[in-house]
Amino acid sequence: VRDDRGVVLSGVTARWEDAAEPVLSGVELTVRPGERVAVVGGSGAGKSSLFGVLLGFVDVSRGTVEVPARVAWCPQEAVLVSTTVRENLRIGDPDASDDRLRAALDAVGLGLDLDTEVGPTLLSGGEAQRLGLARALVHDADLVLLDEPTAHLDEPSARALLDLIDTALADRTVLHVTHRPEEAVRADRVVEIAEGRVVVRAYR
Ligand code: DGT
């Protein structure tokens, strides 16, 4: 196991560029390589902002942020472009061979042909999420950020996606924002963000 795949936030204070007040203050959070952490907290608590810090689009005014080299972000609605499955996956790595792309599709249980045209409306919500996960695998992301991946899925699709996250992302470091307790308990650890701070480091 490489030891540079985890996340370490030390005393992080961060602010959106156009905001007067910090959105996160003095955040301490260490996520071990390969660990899966659920991030919970009320609306507006700063969960998405935490991802913004890890992705580098929220300014850090204090403290230090260590993230792995390759990070993938999977939002509530997967970002798909209206072209082929191949080109959607190659956003993860423009040089990936068709064999690697097919392996990623296999890993997420998607039986799509690489030449199939997709787009925001041509796949179900669950398929779109799977394609997003496959793209993260093509990117060979060390850290995968899942922001309420099941928010727009029905119950069976949500359960299927969670099972996939268990298997396909087993060896990745994963932060999973969710407001559903039944999802949070599937993680190795749960952290809660309230008023811009990690208030509970672990409660299981
Ligand atoms: P959610 O998605 O409703 O469950 O809430 P969280 O916990 O993800 O909260 P978050 O991080 O979206 O919002 C925390 C604060 O950050 C809130 O006052 C709004 C602000 N904020 C969020 N996104 C942006 C953004 O894109 N630009 C600016 N300027 N502020 C943002």
Side-chain angles (χ1 to χ4, degrees):
V1 177
R2 285 169 289 161
D3 60 3
D4 57 350
R5 300 182 307 129
V7 172
V8 183
L9 301 188
S10 306
V12 168
T13 294
R15 195 172 56 86
W16 287 93
E17 204 173 66
D18 50 355
E21 297 294 320
V23 64
L24 298 172
S25 304
V27 169
E28 304 284 339
L29 178 66
T30 299
V31 184
R32 293 186 304 275
E35 189 180 21
R36 178 152 140 220
V37 171
V39 181
V40 303
S43 186
K47 304 182 296 294
S48 303
S49 301
L50 173 67
F51 281 7
V53 165
L54 298 170
L55 292 162
F57 56 77
V58 177
D59 297 334
V60 173
S61 54
R62 266 192 169 169
T64 57
V65 178
E66 289 173 36
V67 290
R70 289 185 303 277
V71 182
W73 175 57
C74 300
Q76 280 187 20
E77 290 189 55
V79 181
L80 299 182
V81 284
S82 297
T83 172
T84 58
V85 169
R86 179 184 289 103
E87 295 311 316
N88 271 280
L89 289 175
R90 278 195 179 151
I91 292 170
D93 177 357
D95 299 323
S97 67
D98 281 1
D99 280 350
R100 267 193 58 209
L101 302 183
R102 282 194 208 95
L105 288 176
D106 275 354
V108 301
L110 266 186
L112 291 171
D113 191 278
L114 291 175
D115 292 316
T116 304
E117 295 277 334
V118 296
T121 56
L122 294 176
L123 295 179
S124 71
E127 288 170 329
Q129 281 296 335
R130 283 169 187 233
L131 199 57
L133 290 185
R135 182 189 284 153
L137 295 176
V138 169
H139 189 51
D140 196 18
D142 299 304
L143 172 64
V144 181
L145 305 177
L146 305 172
D147 199 346
E148 301 203 36
T150 64
H152 300 293
L153 305 187
D154 60 21
E155 190 56 41
S157 308
R159 229 172 309 127
L161 188 74
L162 293 170
D163 288 345
L164 251 179
I165 290 168
D166 285 344
T167 53
L169 301 183
D171 57 347
R172 316 275 163 169
T173 307
V174 176
L175 282 175
H176 178 168
V177 166
T178 179
H179 62 271
R180 296 181 178 172
E182 70 274 19
E183 285 186 25
V185 297
R186 296 174 71 133
D188 299 317
R189 190 156 58 100
V190 182
V191 301
E192 180 174 352
I193 299 204
E195 295 172 9
R197 286 176 180 273
V198 176
V199 290
V200 182
R201 278 161 192 258
Y203 49 79
R204 61 183 288 268

